Amino acid sequence: MKKIIFIIMLLMLVNSIFPQNISEEQNIKNKQYLVNLELNVLETIEIMVMLNEASKQLPEDTINGISTYQQFLFDMTMECGNIRNDIKLSKNMSPNEREEHITMMFATIRPEVIYTHKQIDNSQDLKNRDIINELNERIKKYILFLQNEIVKAEKRAIENSSISQYYMNLHSQHFMLQLLSDYIANSDKLSHNNREYLLKIALSIENALVPDKAKR
């Protein structure tokens, strides 16, 4: 929480020193980005609900840890709800406020990656677009791998009558990467600065969660 508050204060300071003047074209794109983000997050919520319904089919009285797992799914669904609330808040904002709001939404994904304001020319932005698109493809492939691993781990949980920490870790990684993919999916509509910031966050998460061999 302290990190998030620090980031918000830093963003406010940066924007007071370097005031932004968001064009109407970029403002329209920002609105489109947020609409698409909400649609993507709704799909992730559907996945959480589906997993929760599936968990109810497991024998609760014989599998140790099932209630913890269901609480985890509920918490992740609530987190998606918080993102939807953030999107709703942006609807009546000014163009500059909306731009800053998107930045702060990104900051909450991975607070340790600090936003830095700088001029990004078209050439650098084109490189950033290519990198973030390639990264998203890698993340999608790893999400499929995690889904297969989750199915295997679930079978072992039934056999062993216990949900392992490994099983929970798989779900945590899956949720984080699925959410990251939701944010990246329509990043072509972001401003140069927000696209670069999202790219930095995405690379940081990939480095933390995806093994090197899976990035090839």
Side-chain angles (χ1 to χ4, degrees):
M1 178 61 71
K2 289 181 178 178
K3 285 184 179 180
I4 294 173
I5 293 173
F6 172 75
I7 289 170
I8 292 173
M9 292 176 64
L10 180 61
L11 289 171
M12 291 173 65
L13 176 62
V14 167
N15 286 310
S16 66
I17 298 173
F18 303 100
Q20 302 186 71
N21 186 19
I22 303 302
S23 67
E24 182 56 31
E25 179 184 4
Q26 183 57 55
N27 187 44
I28 291 171
K29 288 181 178 181
N30 282 344
K31 289 180 179 180
Q32 291 172 339
Y33 173 80
L34 290 167
V35 168
N36 291 332
L37 174 60
E38 181 168 27
L39 292 174
N40 294 337
V41 170
L42 281 170
E43 290 183 4
T44 297
I45 290 175
E46 288 179 4
I47 293 173
M48 294 297 107
V49 170
M50 179 185 67
L51 289 171
N52 197 23
E53 289 300 314
S55 73
K56 294 176 182 177
Q57 306 305 314
L58 298 174
E60 187 173 350
D61 56 338
T62 59
I63 295 186
N64 183 39
I66 189 67
S67 60
T68 301
Y69 171 55
Q70 290 174 337
Q71 183 62 47
F72 165 80
L73 294 175
F74 175 78
D75 290 343
M76 296 305 98
T77 303
M78 292 300 292
E79 182 61 31
C80 289
N82 291 336
I83 295 170
R84 293 189 66 200
N85 287 336
D86 280 340
I87 294 170
K88 184 183 293 186
L89 285 173
S90 73
K91 291 182 179 179
N92 295 322
M93 291 180 176
S94 69
N96 286 359
E97 288 171 338
R98 186 172 293 107
E99 173 78 5
E100 293 168 14
H101 189 69
I102 291 172
T103 307
M104 285 188 282
M105 288 178 67
F106 292 165
T108 61
I109 305 173
R110 198 159 178 82
E112 53 266 49
V113 179
I114 303 301
Y115 174 86
T116 53
H117 180 93
K118 62 180 181 179
Q119 294 298 321
I120 301 171
D121 60 27
N122 290 334
S123 175
Q124 180 59 51
D125 186 59
L126 285 173
K127 292 179 183 177
N128 288 345
R129 287 171 183 262
D130 289 340
I131 294 171
I132 203 168
N133 287 336
E134 292 171 3
L135 182 148
N136 197 32
E137 289 304 311
R138 294 197 300 271
I139 288 174
K140 285 179 179 178
K141 289 180 181 178
Y142 196 64
I143 285 173
L144 291 176
F145 166 78
L146 288 173
Q147 289 172 344
N148 289 329
E149 288 297 300
I150 286 171
V151 171
K152 296 176 186 176
E154 187 171 278
K155 290 179 180 177
R156 289 195 294 271
I158 295 173
E159 292 170 358
N160 300 329
S161 299
S162 180
I163 290 178
S164 66
Q165 186 59 49
Y166 174 68
Y167 182 70
M168 295 296 292
N169 289 342
L170 286 173
H171 272 290
S172 294
Q173 291 178 55
H174 180 267
F175 175 76
M176 189 67 212
L177 292 174
Q178 181 63 51
L179 203 57
L180 179 60
S181 186
D182 291 344
Y183 276 96
I184 292 175
N186 298 283
S187 58
D188 59 304
K189 292 180 170 60
L190 294 170
S191 64
H192 289 193
N193 276 91
N194 272 342
R195 184 160 33 249
E196 178 160 284
Y197 185 37
L198 180 59
L199 173 58
K200 287 182 179 179
I201 290 170
L203 287 170
S204 176
I205 292 174
E206 183 190 37
N207 287 335
L209 298 184
V210 181
D212 288 338
K213 63 182 180 181
K215 300 175 189 177
R216 298 167 189 167

